[in-house]
Amino acid sequence: MTPEERERADGALAALETARQLRAGADSLAASAQAVPDRIAEAQARRIPSTGDARDLPYRSMAEEVASAMRVSRHVASARLRESSDLARSYPATQQALREGAISEEHVRALLAEGSALAADDAARVAYECECLDVARVSTAPQTRTAARVIADRLLDRDVEQAHAQAKARRRVSVRDLGDGMSELYAVAESTVIRGALDRLTTMGRRVAHAHRTAHQLHTPGGTALGEIRAAVQVMIPVGLMTGEVTGRPRGRPLLEYDQPIGAAEARRLAALTPTWDRIFVARDGTCRFPGRTTMPGSAVRFRDLSATAAPF
């Protein structure tokens, strides 16, 4: 890069940073303004003696007005009113970070969405906000959503093994014929099973890959690729869960490579069947801190990109 090109690039980057901060300030102003109609609608609803649909009328009316002003649908306006109200009432530090330009509107939506399960637990929500903001200030919005999901799951006061057992009862499989000799398979099952199935299909697809295949086609091999191929599933397991050093509810849960929590019993079973382990050092939320990198460390190990991760046991 020539000195003149470096100067032009630096100028463009500075302009982009200014634009980002201005946009964050505008988003903060919009969020503060949108919280006002929601509070007005709430006050109007309390004055309505009846229950049911009648009390929804003030919210729908305000949503219509906001939709007209913002040139969006009423559905979008209603969602923004709820988000802005939640932000103002429950996430003051997040609102301040948005106002300062430290995070974006996309970061805020990620925090609000993943923290909804903590709405009734003030202490957990405060801890969640603090941890998430540490990530959001140095990460992209998708990375923040991934981390927020892991953090919220860790802070939830619930029996995770019981929740997993109840979720397993909702397993199902269905097939939809698409025509032209093609069909769609839809399955809801344990995450280890689904990830293992995807890995097996991908491995089979790579065996017959050629230059004209798309990324999606690599995951869906033809019949000629059927063979004895072992599936691989990447799992991150807290050390204390394996050694028995953790007492009470553990600080972390076993995670598949794409941030999906699994049960402790299933993690131990997989660990017992694994001939080779990799020791991975990651952040507490399980993510890589490099901006733009959204894959979990296990994926890096499997595809031999060791820049962020591992040393074998």
Side-chain angles (χ1 to χ4, degrees):
M1 182 178 291
T2 67
E4 186 269 340
E5 289 172 337
R6 180 70 268 169
E7 183 178 357
R8 290 171 57 197
D10 290 342
L13 292 173
L16 288 172
E17 174 62 18
T18 300
R20 184 189 66 80
Q21 292 179 350
L22 290 173
R23 184 166 54 249
D27 289 340
S28 175
L29 177 61
S32 298
Q34 288 168 167
V36 175
D38 190 77
R39 286 195 290 266
I40 293 173
E42 184 179 26
Q44 291 175 334
R46 285 198 298 264
R47 295 197 296 268
I48 297 176
S50 62
T51 60
D53 293 342
R55 290 197 170 184
D56 290 335
L57 290 175
Y59 294 98
R60 292 202 293 266
S61 176
M62 281 297 177
E64 290 284 5
E65 294 194 43
V66 171
S68 177
M70 300 293 291
R71 307 294 192 272
V72 297
S73 68
R74 192 185 76 179
H75 175 75
V76 171
S78 295
R80 290 184 179 178
L81 290 179
R82 289 193 300 271
E83 289 174 350
S84 297
S85 181
D86 289 344
L87 178 64
R89 293 178 179 179
S90 303
Y91 295 91
T94 301
Q95 188 173 31
Q96 180 62 30
L98 178 64
R99 186 178 298 115
E100 295 171 351
I103 61 175
S104 69
E105 185 180 35
E106 289 76 16
H107 289 92
V108 172
R109 286 179 176 159
L111 264 68
L112 293 178
E114 301 303 332
S116 59
L118 302 171
D121 189 335
D122 292 340
R125 189 178 65 251
V126 170
Y128 166 81
E129 181 182 30
C130 182
E131 289 193 46
C132 287
L133 283 178
D134 287 342
V135 177
R137 288 189 174 95
V138 296
S139 306
T140 66
Q143 286 176 319
T144 299
R145 183 178 290 274
T146 296
R149 187 177 302 124
V150 175
I151 294 168
D153 185 81
R154 174 164 46 80
L155 292 172
L156 277 173
D157 186 15
R158 62 172 182 168
D159 186 333
V160 294
E161 295 302 317
Q162 181 180 5
H164 180 61
Q166 292 172 346
K168 287 174 65 175
R170 299 192 293 271
R171 290 173 295 182
R172 61 188 182 276
V173 177
S174 62
V175 174
R176 182 168 68 97
D177 293 327
L178 304 176
D180 298 324
M182 304 295 288
S183 296
E184 178 182 73
L185 176 66
Y186 177 81
V188 176
E190 294 96 320
S191 297
T192 50
V193 173
I194 296 298
R195 288 292 175 184
L198 176 62
D199 183 83
R200 180 175 177 128
L201 289 171
T202 302
T203 303
M204 292 161 62
R206 290 179 184 277
R207 289 283 182 90
V208 296
H210 53 74
H212 301 293
R213 300 196 72 185
T214 67
H216 287 297
Q217 289 171 341
L218 285 176
H219 296 305
T220 51
T224 57
L226 294 177
E228 184 58 35
I229 299 175
R230 182 181 298 275
V233 178
Q234 302 290 332
V235 185
M236 292 192 301
I237 307 174
V239 173
L241 197 65
M242 301 302 300
T243 62
E245 296 173 0
V246 172
T247 59
R249 191 160 61 95
R251 289 285 295 166
R253 288 185 59 191
L255 299 174
L256 291 183
E257 59 189 284
Y258 293 97
D259 76 20
Q260 178 68 14
I262 63 173
E266 179 68 3
R268 293 190 186 96
R269 186 185 70 82
L270 291 173
L273 296 174
T274 302
T276 303
W277 289 21
D278 287 306
R279 180 173 57 215
I280 313 297
F281 297 98
V282 297
R284 287 177 61 193
D285 51 68
T287 60
C288 175
R289 283 291 182 264
F290 189 81
R293 176 170 289 177
T294 57
T295 57
M296 297 292 281
S299 299
V301 173
R302 175 155 25 122
F303 294 109
R304 298 299 183 263
D305 175 14
L306 301 182
S307 61
T309 55
F313 277 116

